[in-house]
Coordinates of all heavy atoms in Angstrom, one line a residue:
F1 N 96.0 -34.5 -193.6 CA 97.1 -33.6 -193.3 C 98.2 -34.4 -192.7 O 98.1 -35.5 -192.2 CB 96.6 -32.5 -192.4 CG 96.0 -32.9 -191.0 CD1 96.9 -33.1 -190.0 CD2 94.7 -33.2 -190.9 CE1 96.4 -33.5 -188.8 CE2 94.2 -33.7 -189.7 CZ 95.0 -33.8 -188.6
D2 N 99.4 -33.8 -192.6 CA 100.6 -34.4 -192.1 C 100.8 -34.0 -190.7 O 101.0 -32.8 -190.4 CB 101.8 -34.0 -193.0 CG 103.1 -34.6 -192.6 OD1 103.0 -35.4 -191.6 OD2 104.1 -34.3 -193.2
P3 N 100.7 -35.0 -189.7 CA 100.9 -34.6 -188.3 C 102.3 -34.0 -188.0 O 102.4 -33.1 -187.1 CB 100.8 -36.0 -187.6 CG 100.0 -36.8 -188.5 CD 100.4 -36.3 -189.9
E4 N 103.3 -34.3 -188.8 CA 104.6 -33.7 -188.6 C 104.5 -32.1 -188.9 O 105.3 -31.4 -188.3 CB 105.6 -34.3 -189.6 CG 105.9 -35.8 -189.3 CD 106.5 -36.0 -187.9 OE1 107.3 -35.2 -187.5 OE2 106.1 -36.9 -187.3
Q5 N 103.6 -31.7 -189.7 CA 103.5 -30.3 -190.0 C 102.8 -29.5 -188.9 O 103.1 -28.3 -188.7 CB 102.7 -30.0 -191.3 CG 103.4 -30.5 -192.5 CD 102.6 -30.3 -193.8 OE1 101.4 -30.1 -193.7 NE2 103.3 -30.4 -194.9
V6 N 101.9 -30.1 -188.2 CA 101.1 -29.4 -187.2 C 101.6 -29.6 -185.7 O 101.2 -28.9 -184.8 CB 99.6 -29.7 -187.3 CG1 99.1 -29.1 -188.6 CG2 99.3 -31.1 -187.1
G7 N 102.4 -30.6 -185.5 CA 102.9 -30.9 -184.2 C 102.8 -32.3 -183.7 O 102.1 -33.1 -184.3
I8 N 103.3 -32.5 -182.6 CA 103.3 -33.9 -182.0 C 102.0 -34.1 -181.3 O 101.4 -33.2 -180.6 CB 104.5 -34.1 -181.0 CG1 105.8 -33.9 -181.8 CG2 104.4 -35.4 -180.3 CD1 107.0 -33.8 -180.9
G9 N 101.4 -35.3 -181.4 CA 100.1 -35.6 -180.7 C 98.9 -35.1 -181.4 O 98.0 -34.5 -180.8
T10 N 98.8 -35.2 -182.7 CA 97.7 -34.8 -183.4 C 96.5 -35.8 -183.3 O 96.7 -37.0 -183.4 CB 98.0 -34.6 -184.9 OG1 99.1 -33.7 -185.0 CG2 96.9 -34.0 -185.7
H11 N 95.3 -35.3 -183.0 CA 94.1 -36.1 -182.9 C 93.0 -35.6 -183.7 O 92.6 -34.5 -183.6 CB 93.7 -36.2 -181.4 CG 94.7 -36.7 -180.5 ND1 95.0 -38.0 -180.4 CD2 95.6 -36.0 -179.7 CE1 96.0 -38.1 -179.5 NE2 96.4 -36.9 -179.0
L12 N 92.5 -36.4 -184.6 CA 91.4 -36.1 -185.5 C 90.1 -36.5 -184.8 O 90.0 -37.6 -184.4 CB 91.5 -36.8 -186.8 CG 90.5 -36.4 -187.9 CD1 90.6 -35.0 -188.3 CD2 90.7 -37.3 -189.1
R13 N 89.2 -35.5 -184.6 CA 88.0 -35.8 -183.9 C 86.8 -36.1 -184.8 O 86.0 -36.9 -184.5 CB 87.6 -34.7 -183.0 CG 88.5 -34.6 -181.8 CD 88.0 -33.6 -180.8 NE 88.3 -32.3 -181.4 CZ 88.5 -31.2 -180.7 NH1 88.2 -31.2 -179.4 NH2 88.8 -30.0 -181.3
E14 N 86.7 -35.3 -186.0 CA 85.5 -35.5 -186.8 C 85.9 -35.0 -188.2 O 86.6 -34.1 -188.4 CB 84.4 -34.7 -186.3 CG 83.1 -34.8 -187.1 CD 81.9 -34.0 -186.5 OE1 82.0 -33.6 -185.3 OE2 80.9 -33.9 -187.2
V15 N 85.3 -35.8 -189.2 CA 85.4 -35.4 -190.6 C 84.0 -35.4 -191.2 O 83.2 -36.3 -190.9 CB 86.3 -36.3 -191.4 CG1 86.3 -36.0 -192.9 CG2 87.7 -36.3 -190.9
T16 N 83.6 -34.3 -191.9 CA 82.3 -34.3 -192.5 C 82.4 -33.8 -193.9 O 83.3 -33.0 -194.2 CB 81.3 -33.4 -191.6 OG1 80.0 -33.6 -192.1 CG2 81.7 -32.0 -191.6
V17 N 81.4 -34.2 -194.7 CA 81.4 -33.7 -196.1 C 80.1 -32.9 -196.3 O 79.0 -33.4 -196.0 CB 81.4 -34.9 -197.1 CG1 81.3 -34.4 -198.5 CG2 82.7 -35.7 -196.9
A18 N 80.2 -31.7 -196.7 CA 79.1 -30.8 -197.0 C 78.4 -31.2 -198.3 O 78.9 -31.9 -199.1 CB 79.6 -29.4 -197.1
P19 N 77.1 -30.8 -198.4 CA 76.4 -31.2 -199.6 C 77.1 -30.8 -201.0 O 76.9 -31.5 -202.0 CB 75.0 -30.4 -199.5 CG 74.9 -30.2 -198.0 CD 76.3 -30.0 -197.5
N20 N 77.9 -29.7 -200.9 CA 78.6 -29.3 -202.2 C 79.9 -30.1 -202.4 O 80.6 -29.9 -203.4 CB 78.9 -27.8 -202.1 CG 79.9 -27.5 -201.1 OD1 80.3 -28.3 -200.3 ND2 80.4 -26.2 -201.1
G21 N 80.2 -31.1 -201.5 CA 81.3 -31.9 -201.7 C 82.6 -31.4 -200.9 O 83.6 -32.1 -200.9
D22 N 82.5 -30.3 -200.3 CA 83.6 -29.8 -199.5 C 83.8 -30.7 -198.3 O 82.8 -31.1 -197.6 CB 83.4 -28.4 -199.0 CG 83.5 -27.3 -200.2 OD1 83.8 -27.7 -201.3 OD2 83.2 -26.2 -199.9
A23 N 85.0 -31.0 -197.9 CA 85.3 -31.8 -196.7 C 85.9 -30.9 -195.6 O 86.7 -30.0 -195.9 CB 86.3 -32.9 -197.0
W24 N 85.4 -31.2 -194.4 CA 85.9 -30.4 -193.2 C 86.4 -31.4 -192.2 O 85.7 -32.4 -191.9 CB 84.7 -29.6 -192.6 CG 84.3 -28.5 -193.5 CD1 83.5 -28.5 -194.6 CD2 84.8 -27.1 -193.4 NE1 83.4 -27.3 -195.1 CE2 84.2 -26.4 -194.4 CE3 85.7 -26.5 -192.5 CZ2 84.4 -25.1 -194.6 CZ3 85.9 -25.1 -192.7 CH2 85.3 -24.4 -193.8
A25 N 87.5 -31.1 -191.5 CA 88.0 -31.9 -190.5 C 88.3 -31.0 -189.2 O 88.7 -29.9 -189.4 CB 89.3 -32.6 -190.9
V26 N 87.9 -31.6 -188.1 CA 88.2 -30.9 -186.8 C 89.0 -31.8 -185.9 O 88.7 -33.0 -185.8 CB 86.8 -30.6 -186.1 CG1 87.1 -29.9 -184.8 CG2 86.0 -29.7 -187.0
G27 N 90.0 -31.3 -185.3 CA 90.8 -32.1 -184.4 C 91.6 -31.2 -183.5 O 91.3 -30.0 -183.3
S28 N 92.6 -31.8 -182.9 CA 93.4 -31.0 -181.9 C 94.9 -31.5 -182.1 O 95.1 -32.6 -182.6 CB 93.0 -31.2 -180.5 OG 92.9 -32.6 -180.2
Y29 N 95.8 -30.7 -181.7 CA 97.2 -31.1 -181.7 C 97.9 -30.4 -180.5 O 97.4 -29.4 -179.9 CB 97.8 -30.7 -183.0 CG 98.0 -29.3 -183.4 CD1 99.2 -28.6 -183.2 CD2 96.9 -28.6 -183.9 CE1 99.3 -27.3 -183.6 CE2 97.0 -27.2 -184.2 CZ 98.3 -26.6 -184.0 OH 98.4 -25.3 -184.4
F30 N 99.0 -31.0 -180.2 CA 99.8 -30.5 -179.0 C 101.2 -30.2 -179.5 O 102.1 -31.0 -179.5 CB 99.8 -31.6 -178.0 CG 98.5 -32.0 -177.5 CD1 97.8 -33.0 -178.2 CD2 97.8 -31.4 -176.5 CE1 96.5 -33.4 -177.8 CE2 96.6 -31.7 -176.0 CZ 95.9 -32.7 -176.7
P31 N 101.4 -28.9 -180.0 CA 102.8 -28.6 -180.5 C 103.8 -28.7 -179.3 O 103.4 -28.5 -178.2 CB 102.6 -27.1 -180.9 CG 101.2 -26.8 -180.8 CD 100.5 -27.8 -180.1
S32 N 105.0 -29.0 -179.7 CA 106.0 -29.1 -178.7 C 106.1 -27.8 -177.8 O 106.2 -26.7 -178.3 CB 107.4 -29.3 -179.4 OG 107.4 -30.4 -180.1
G33 N 106.0 -28.0 -176.5 CA 106.1 -26.9 -175.6 C 104.9 -26.0 -175.5 O 104.9 -24.9 -174.9
S34 N 103.7 -26.5 -176.0 CA 102.5 -25.7 -176.0 C 101.4 -26.5 -175.5 O 101.4 -27.7 -175.4 CB 102.2 -25.2 -177.4 OG 103.1 -24.3 -177.9
N35 N 100.3 -25.8 -175.1 CA 99.1 -26.4 -174.7 C 98.3 -26.9 -175.9 O 98.6 -26.5 -177.1 CB 98.2 -25.4 -173.9 CG 98.9 -25.1 -172.6 OD1 99.6 -25.9 -172.0 ND2 98.7 -23.9 -172.1
H36 N 97.2 -27.6 -175.7 CA 96.3 -28.1 -176.7 C 95.8 -26.9 -177.6 O 95.6 -25.8 -177.2 CB 95.1 -28.7 -176.0 CG 93.9 -28.9 -176.8 ND1 92.9 -27.9 -177.0 CD2 93.5 -29.9 -177.6 CE1 92.0 -28.4 -177.8 NE2 92.3 -29.6 -178.2
R37 N 95.8 -27.2 -178.9 CA 95.3 -26.3 -180.0 C 94.3 -27.0 -180.8 O 94.4 -28.2 -181.0 CB 96.5 -25.8 -180.9 CG 97.7 -25.2 -180.2 CD 97.4 -23.7 -179.9 NE 98.4 -23.2 -179.1 CZ 99.4 -22.5 -179.5 NH1 99.6 -22.3 -180.8 NH2 100.3 -22.0 -178.7
T38 N 93.3 -26.2 -181.2 CA 92.2 -26.7 -182.1 C 92.7 -26.6 -183.5 O 93.3 -25.6 -183.9 CB 90.9 -26.0 -181.9 OG1 90.5 -26.2 -180.5 CG2 89.8 -26.5 -182.8
L39 N 92.4 -27.6 -184.3 CA 92.7 -27.6 -185.7 C 91.5 -27.8 -186.6 O 90.7 -28.7 -186.3 CB 93.7 -28.8 -186.0 CG 94.1 -29.0 -187.4 CD1 94.9 -27.9 -188.0 CD2 94.8 -30.3 -187.5
I40 N 91.2 -26.9 -187.5 CA 90.1 -27.0 -188.4 C 90.6 -26.8 -189.8 O 91.3 -25.9 -190.1 CB 89.0 -25.9 -188.2 CG1 88.5 -26.0 -186.7 CG2 87.9 -26.0 -189.2 CD1 87.5 -24.9 -186.3
M41 N 90.4 -27.8 -190.7 CA 90.9 -27.8 -192.0 C 89.7 -28.1 -193.0 O 88.8 -28.7 -192.6 CB 92.0 -28.8 -192.2 CG 93.2 -28.6 -191.3 SD 94.4 -29.9 -191.5 CE 95.2 -29.3 -193.1
S42 N 89.9 -27.5 -194.2 CA 88.9 -27.8 -195.2 C 89.5 -28.1 -196.5 O 90.7 -27.6 -196.8 CB 87.9 -26.7 -195.4 OG 88.5 -25.5 -195.9
W43 N 88.9 -28.9 -197.3 CA 89.3 -29.2 -198.7 C 88.2 -29.0 -199.6 O 87.1 -29.5 -199.3 CB 89.8 -30.7 -198.8 CG 90.9 -31.0 -197.9 CD1 92.3 -31.0 -198.3 CD2 90.9 -31.4 -196.6 NE1 93.0 -31.4 -197.2 CE2 92.2 -31.6 -196.1 CE3 89.9 -31.7 -195.6 CZ2 92.6 -32.1 -194.9 CZ3 90.2 -32.1 -194.3 CH2 91.5 -32.3 -194.0
P44 N 88.4 -28.3 -200.7 CA 87.3 -28.1 -201.7 C 86.8 -29.4 -202.3 O 87.7 -30.3 -202.5 CB 87.8 -27.2 -202.7 CG 89.3 -27.3 -202.6 CD 89.6 -27.7 -201.2
G45 N 85.5 -29.5 -202.6 CA 85.0 -30.7 -203.2 C 85.4 -30.8 -204.7 O 86.1 -29.9 -205.2
P46 N 85.0 -31.8 -205.3 CA 85.3 -32.0 -206.7 C 84.7 -30.8 -207.6 O 83.7 -30.3 -207.3 CB 84.7 -33.3 -207.1 CG 83.7 -33.6 -206.1 CD 84.1 -32.8 -204.9
T47 N 85.5 -30.4 -208.5 CA 85.0 -29.4 -209.4 C 85.1 -29.9 -210.9 O 85.8 -30.8 -211.2 CB 85.9 -28.1 -209.3 OG1 87.2 -28.4 -209.6 CG2 85.8 -27.5 -207.9
T48 N 84.3 -29.2 -211.7 CA 84.3 -29.6 -213.1 C 85.2 -28.5 -213.9 O 84.9 -27.3 -213.7 CB 82.9 -29.6 -213.7 OG1 82.2 -30.6 -212.9 CG2 82.9 -29.9 -215.1
P49 N 86.2 -28.9 -214.6 CA 86.9 -27.9 -215.4 C 86.0 -27.1 -216.3 O 85.1 -27.7 -217.0 CB 87.9 -28.8 -216.2 CG 88.0 -30.0 -215.5 CD 86.7 -30.3 -214.8
G50 N 86.1 -25.8 -216.2 CA 85.2 -25.0 -217.0 C 84.1 -24.4 -216.2 O 83.4 -23.5 -216.7
D51 N 83.8 -24.9 -215.0 CA 82.8 -24.3 -214.2 C 83.3 -23.1 -213.5 O 83.7 -23.1 -212.3 CB 82.3 -25.4 -213.1 CG 81.2 -24.9 -212.3 OD1 80.5 -23.9 -212.7 OD2 80.9 -25.5 -211.3
V52 N 83.4 -22.0 -214.2 CA 84.1 -20.8 -213.8 C 83.4 -20.2 -212.6 O 84.0 -19.7 -211.6 CB 84.1 -19.7 -215.0 CG1 84.7 -18.4 -214.5 CG2 85.0 -20.3 -216.1
N53 N 82.0 -20.2 -212.6 CA 81.3 -19.6 -211.5 C 81.0 -20.5 -210.3 O 80.4 -20.1 -209.3 CB 80.0 -18.9 -212.0 CG 79.0 -19.9 -212.5 OD1 79.2 -21.1 -212.5 ND2 77.9 -19.4 -213.0
G54 N 81.4 -21.8 -210.4 CA 81.3 -22.7 -209.3 C 79.9 -23.2 -209.0 O 79.7 -23.7 -207.9
D55 N 79.0 -23.1 -209.9 CA 77.6 -23.5 -209.6 C 77.3 -25.0 -209.9 O 76.2 -25.5 -209.8 CB 76.6 -22.6 -210.4 CG 76.6 -22.8 -211.9 OD1 77.5 -23.5 -212.4 OD2 75.8 -22.2 -212.5
G56 N 78.4 -25.7 -210.4 CA 78.2 -27.2 -210.6 C 77.9 -27.6 -212.0 O 77.8 -28.8 -212.3
V57 N 77.7 -26.6 -212.9 CA 77.4 -27.0 -214.3 C 78.2 -26.0 -215.2 O 78.3 -24.8 -214.9 CB 75.9 -27.0 -214.6 CG1 75.3 -25.6 -214.4 CG2 75.6 -27.5 -216.0
V58 N 78.7 -26.5 -216.3 CA 79.4 -25.6 -217.3 C 78.4 -25.2 -218.3 O 77.9 -26.0 -219.1 CB 80.6 -26.4 -218.0 CG1 81.3 -25.5 -219.0 CG2 81.6 -26.9 -216.9
N59 N 78.1 -23.9 -218.3 CA 77.0 -23.4 -219.2 C 77.3 -22.0 -219.6 O 78.4 -21.5 -219.5 CB 75.6 -23.5 -218.5 CG 75.6 -22.7 -217.2 OD1 76.4 -21.8 -217.0 ND2 74.7 -23.1 -216.3
V60 N 76.3 -21.3 -220.2 CA 76.5 -20.0 -220.8 C 76.9 -19.0 -219.7 O 77.7 -18.0 -220.0 CB 75.3 -19.5 -221.5 CG1 74.1 -19.3 -220.6 CG2 75.6 -18.4 -222.4
L61 N 76.6 -19.2 -218.5 CA 77.0 -18.3 -217.4 C 78.5 -18.3 -217.2 O 79.1 -17.3 -217.0 CB 76.3 -18.6 -216.1 CG 74.7 -18.4 -216.2 CD1 74.1 -18.9 -214.8 CD2 74.3 -17.0 -216.5
D62 N 79.1 -19.5 -217.3 CA 80.5 -19.6 -217.2 C 81.2 -19.0 -218.4 O 82.3 -18.4 -218.3 CB 80.9 -21.1 -217.2 CG 80.3 -21.8 -216.0 OD1 80.6 -21.4 -214.8 OD2 79.5 -22.7 -216.1
L63 N 80.6 -19.2 -219.6 CA 81.1 -18.5 -220.8 C 81.1 -17.0 -220.7 O 82.1 -16.4 -221.0 CB 80.3 -19.0 -222.0 CG 80.7 -18.4 -223.4 CD1 82.1 -18.7 -223.7 CD2 79.7 -18.8 -224.5
I64 N 80.1 -16.4 -220.1 CA 80.0 -15.0 -219.9 C 81.1 -14.5 -219.0 O 81.8 -13.6 -219.3 CB 78.6 -14.6 -219.4 CG1 77.6 -14.8 -220.5 CG2 78.6 -13.1 -218.9 CD1 76.2 -14.6 -220.1
D65 N 81.3 -15.3 -217.9 CA 82.3 -14.9 -216.9 C 83.7 -15.0 -217.5 O 84.6 -14.1 -217.3 CB 82.3 -15.8 -215.7 CG 81.1 -15.5 -214.8 OD1 80.5 -14.4 -215.0 OD2 80.8 -16.2 -213.8
L66 N 83.9 -16.0 -218.3 CA 85.2 -16.1 -219.0 C 85.5 -15.0 -220.0 O 86.5 -14.4 -220.0 CB 85.3 -17.5 -219.7 CG 86.7 -17.8 -220.3 CD1 87.0 -19.2 -220.2 CD2 86.8 -17.4 -221.8
L67 N 84.4 -14.7 -220.8 CA 84.6 -13.6 -221.8 C 84.8 -12.2 -221.1 O 85.5 -11.4 -221.7 CB 83.4 -13.6 -222.7 CG 83.3 -14.8 -223.6 CD1 82.0 -14.7 -224.4 CD2 84.5 -14.9 -224.5
L68 N 84.2 -12.0 -219.9 CA 84.4 -10.8 -219.2 C 85.9 -10.6 -218.8 O 86.4 -9.5 -218.6 CB 83.5 -10.6 -218.0 CG 82.0 -10.4 -218.3 CD1 81.2 -10.5 -217.1 CD2 81.8 -9.1 -219.0
C69 N 86.6 -11.7 -218.6 CA 88.0 -11.7 -218.2 C 88.9 -12.0 -219.3 O 90.2 -12.0 -219.1 CB 88.2 -12.8 -217.1 SG 87.4 -12.4 -215.5
F70 N 88.4 -12.2 -220.5 CA 89.3 -12.5 -221.6 C 90.4 -11.5 -221.8 O 90.2 -10.3 -221.8 CB 88.4 -12.6 -222.9 CG 89.1 -13.5 -224.0 CD1 88.9 -14.8 -224.0 CD2 89.8 -12.9 -225.0 CE1 89.5 -15.6 -224.9 CE2 90.4 -13.7 -225.9 CZ 90.3 -15.0 -225.9
G71 N 91.6 -12.0 -222.0 CA 92.8 -11.2 -222.2 C 93.4 -10.7 -220.9 O 94.4 -9.9 -220.9
Q72 N 92.8 -11.0 -219.7 CA 93.3 -10.5 -218.5 C 94.2 -11.5 -217.8 O 94.2 -12.7 -218.1 CB 92.1 -10.3 -217.5 CG 91.1 -9.3 -218.1 CD 91.7 -7.9 -218.2 OE1 92.5 -7.4 -217.4 NE2 91.5 -7.3 -219.4
P73 N 95.1 -11.1 -216.9 CA 95.9 -12.1 -216.1 C 95.0 -12.8 -215.1 O 93.9 -12.3 -214.8 CB 96.9 -11.2 -215.4 CG 96.3 -9.8 -215.4 CD 95.4 -9.7 -216.6
A74 N 95.4 -14.0 -214.7 CA 94.6 -14.8 -213.8 C 94.8 -14.3 -212.4 O 95.3 -14.9 -211.5 CB 95.0 -16.2 -213.9
D75 N 94.3 -13.0 -212.1 CA 94.3 -12.4 -210.8 C 92.8 -12.3 -210.4 O 91.9 -12.2 -211.2 CB 94.9 -11.1 -210.8 CG 96.4 -11.1 -211.1 OD1 97.1 -12.1 -210.7 OD2 96.9 -10.2 -211.8
P76 N 92.5 -12.2 -209.1 CA 91.1 -12.0 -208.7 C 90.6 -10.8 -209.4 O 91.3 -9.8 -209.5 CB 91.2 -11.8 -207.2 CG 92.5 -12.4 -206.8 CD 93.4 -12.3 -207.9
P77 N 89.4 -10.8 -209.9 CA 88.4 -11.9 -209.8 C 88.5 -12.9 -211.0 O 87.6 -13.7 -211.1 CB 87.1 -11.2 -209.8 CG 87.3 -10.0 -210.7 CD 88.8 -9.6 -210.4
C78 N 89.5 -12.8 -211.8 CA 89.5 -13.6 -213.0 C 90.2 -14.9 -212.9 O 90.3 -15.7 -213.8 CB 90.2 -12.8 -214.1 SG 89.2 -11.4 -214.7
D79 N 90.8 -15.2 -211.7 CA 91.5 -16.5 -211.6 C 90.7 -17.8 -211.9 O 91.2 -18.7 -212.5 CB 92.3 -16.6 -210.3 CG 91.6 -16.2 -209.1 OD1 90.6 -15.4 -209.2 OD2 92.0 -16.6 -208.0
P80 N 89.4 -17.8 -211.5 CA 88.6 -19.0 -211.9 C 88.5 -19.2 -213.4 O 88.3 -20.3 -213.9 CB 87.3 -18.8 -211.2 CG 87.5 -17.8 -210.2 CD 88.6 -17.0 -210.7
A81 N 88.6 -18.1 -214.2 CA 88.4 -18.2 -215.6 C 89.7 -18.7 -216.3 O 89.7 -19.1 -217.5 CB 88.1 -16.8 -216.2
D82 N 90.8 -18.8 -215.6 CA 92.0 -19.4 -216.1 C 92.0 -20.9 -215.9 O 92.6 -21.5 -215.0 CB 93.2 -18.8 -215.3 CG 94.6 -19.3 -215.9 OD1 94.6 -19.8 -217.0 OD2 95.5 -19.3 -215.1
I83 N 91.2 -21.5 -216.7 CA 90.9 -23.0 -216.6 C 92.1 -23.8 -216.7 O 92.2 -24.8 -216.0 CB 89.8 -23.4 -217.6 CG1 88.5 -22.6 -217.3 CG2 89.5 -24.9 -217.6 CD1 87.5 -22.6 -218.5
N84 N 93.0 -23.5 -217.6 CA 94.2 -24.3 -217.8 C 95.4 -24.0 -216.9 O 96.4 -24.6 -217.0 CB 94.6 -24.3 -219.3 CG 95.1 -23.0 -219.8 OD1 95.1 -22.0 -219.0 ND2 95.6 -23.0 -221.0
G85 N 95.2 -22.9 -216.1 CA 96.2 -22.6 -215.2 C 97.5 -22.0 -215.7 O 98.5 -22.0 -215.0
D86 N 97.5 -21.3 -216.9 CA 98.7 -20.8 -217.4 C 98.9 -19.3 -217.1 O 99.9 -18.7 -217.5 CB 98.7 -20.9 -219.0 CG 97.7 -20.1 -219.7 OD1 96.8 -19.4 -219.0 OD2 97.6 -20.1 -220.9
G87 N 98.1 -18.8 -216.2 CA 98.3 -17.4 -215.8 C 97.6 -16.3 -216.6 O 97.6 -15.2 -216.2
Q88 N 96.9 -16.7 -217.7 CA 96.2 -15.8 -218.6 C 94.8 -16.4 -218.9 O 94.7 -17.6 -219.1 CB 97.0 -15.5 -219.9 CG 98.2 -14.8 -219.7 CD 98.0 -13.3 -219.3 OE1 97.1 -12.7 -219.9 NE2 98.7 -12.8 -218.4
V89 N 93.8 -15.5 -219.1 CA 92.5 -15.9 -219.6 C 92.6 -15.7 -221.1 O 92.6 -14.5 -221.5 CB 91.4 -15.2 -218.9 CG1 90.0 -15.7 -219.4 CG2 91.5 -15.4 -217.4
N90 N 92.6 -16.8 -221.8 CA 92.8 -16.6 -223.3 C 92.0 -17.7 -224.0 O 91.2 -18.4 -223.5 CB 94.3 -16.6 -223.6 CG 95.0 -17.8 -223.1 OD1 94.4 -18.9 -223.0 ND2 96.3 -17.7 -222.8
V91 N 92.3 -17.9 -225.3 CA 91.6 -18.8 -226.2 C 91.8 -20.2 -225.7 O 90.9 -21.1 -225.9 CB 92.0 -18.6 -227.6 CG1 93.5 -19.1 -227.9 CG2 91.0 -19.3 -228.6
L92 N 92.9 -20.6 -225.0 CA 93.1 -21.9 -224.5 C 92.1 -22.2 -223.4 O 91.5 -23.4 -223.4 CB 94.5 -22.1 -224.0 CG 95.6 -21.9 -225.1 CD1 97.0 -22.0 -224.4 CD2 95.4 -22.9 -226.2
D93 N 91.7 -21.3 -222.6 CA 90.7 -21.5 -221.6 C 89.3 -21.6 -222.2 O 88.5 -22.4 -221.8 CB 90.7 -20.3 -220.6 CG 92.1 -20.2 -219.9 OD1 92.5 -21.1 -219.3 OD2 92.7 -19.1 -220.1
L94 N 89.1 -20.8 -223.2 CA 87.8 -20.8 -224.0 C 87.6 -22.2 -224.6 O 86.5 -22.8 -224.5 CB 87.8 -19.8 -225.1 CG 86.5 -19.8 -225.9 CD1 85.3 -19.5 -225.1 CD2 86.6 -18.7 -227.0
I95 N 88.7 -22.8 -225.2 CA 88.6 -24.1 -225.7 C 88.2 -25.2 -224.6 O 87.4 -26.0 -224.8 CB 89.9 -24.5 -226.5 CG1 90.0 -23.7 -227.7 CG2 89.9 -26.0 -226.8 CD1 91.4 -23.7 -228.4
E96 N 88.9 -25.1 -223.5 CA 88.6 -26.0 -222.4 C 87.2 -25.9 -221.9 O 86.5 -26.9 -221.7 CB 89.6 -25.7 -221.2 CG 91.0 -26.0 -221.5 CD 91.3 -27.5 -221.5 OE1 90.6 -28.3 -220.8 OE2 92.1 -27.9 -222.4
L97 N 86.7 -24.7 -221.8 CA 85.3 -24.5 -221.4 C 84.3 -25.1 -222.4 O 83.4 -25.8 -222.1 CB 85.0 -23.0 -221.2 CG 83.6 -22.7 -220.7 CD1 83.7 -21.5 -219.7 CD2 82.6 -22.4 -221.7
L98 N 84.6 -24.8 -223.7 CA 83.7 -25.4 -224.7 C 83.7 -26.9 -224.8 O 82.7 -27.5 -225.0 CB 84.0 -24.8 -226.1 CG 83.8 -23.3 -226.2 CD1 84.3 -22.7 -227.6 CD2 82.3 -22.9 -226.0
L99 N 84.9 -27.5 -224.5 CA 85.0 -28.9 -224.5 C 84.2 -29.5 -223.3 O 83.7 -30.7 -223.4 CB 86.4 -29.4 -224.4 CG 87.2 -29.2 -225.7 CD1 88.7 -29.5 -225.4 CD2 86.7 -30.1 -226.8
A100 N 84.1 -28.8 -222.2 CA 83.3 -29.2 -221.1 C 81.9 -28.8 -221.0 O 81.1 -29.1 -220.1 CB 84.1 -28.8 -219.8
F101 N 81.5 -28.0 -222.0 CA 80.1 -27.4 -222.0 C 79.0 -28.4 -221.8 O 79.0 -29.4 -222.4 CB 79.9 -26.6 -223.3 CG 78.9 -25.5 -223.2 CD1 79.2 -24.3 -222.7 CD2 77.5 -25.8 -223.5 CE1 78.3 -23.3 -222.6 CE2 76.6 -24.7 -223.4 CZ 77.0 -23.5 -222.9
G102 N 78.2 -28.1 -220.8 CA 77.1 -29.0 -220.5 C 77.4 -30.1 -219.4 O 76.5 -30.8 -219.0
T103 N 78.6 -30.2 -219.0 CA 78.9 -31.2 -218.0 C 78.6 -30.6 -216.6 O 78.5 -29.4 -216.4 CB 80.4 -31.6 -218.0 OG1 81.2 -30.4 -217.8 CG2 80.8 -32.2 -219.3
T104 N 78.4 -31.5 -215.6 CA 78.1 -31.1 -214.3 C 79.1 -31.7 -213.3 O 79.9 -32.7 -213.7 CB 76.7 -31.6 -213.9 OG1 76.7 -33.1 -214.0 CG2 75.6 -31.0 -214.7
S105 N 79.2 -31.2 -212.1 CA 80.1 -31.7 -211.1 C 79.7 -33.1 -210.7 O 78.5 -33.4 -210.6 CB 80.1 -30.8 -209.9 OG 80.6 -29.5 -210.2
P106 N 80.7 -33.9 -210.4 CA 80.4 -35.3 -210.0 C 79.7 -35.3 -208.7 O 79.8 -34.4 -207.9 CB 81.8 -35.9 -209.9 CG 82.8 -34.8 -210.0 CD 82.1 -33.6 -210.5

C-alpha cells in the first residue's frame, strides 16, 4: 500500500498468507491531526482464469456457472463468469473457460 494514501507515520506490523493464497497485512498509521489508527488490508491470492466458482480448478462446475449466467451483464452474481472482463457473459468467456479447462490455481 502507499503510505501517502493512508497518512503520515505508517507502520506495518505483520503480513501473513492464508492457505488459499490471500495475503493479509496489519499495521497502524497516524493521520495528520489524529490519533493512532489500525490498518487491515487484504489482497486476493492468485486465481486461474476460468475458475468461475473460485474452487481452484477449472472444471464442469465452472462451465455450469458460466452457462447459468450466459447472456447476462457482469453484475452480481454473474460477475465472476465474465472471464474476459468485457461486461457481458458471452461466447468469448466460454472460449476462455474452455481454453483453461482442467487447469488449477498456482
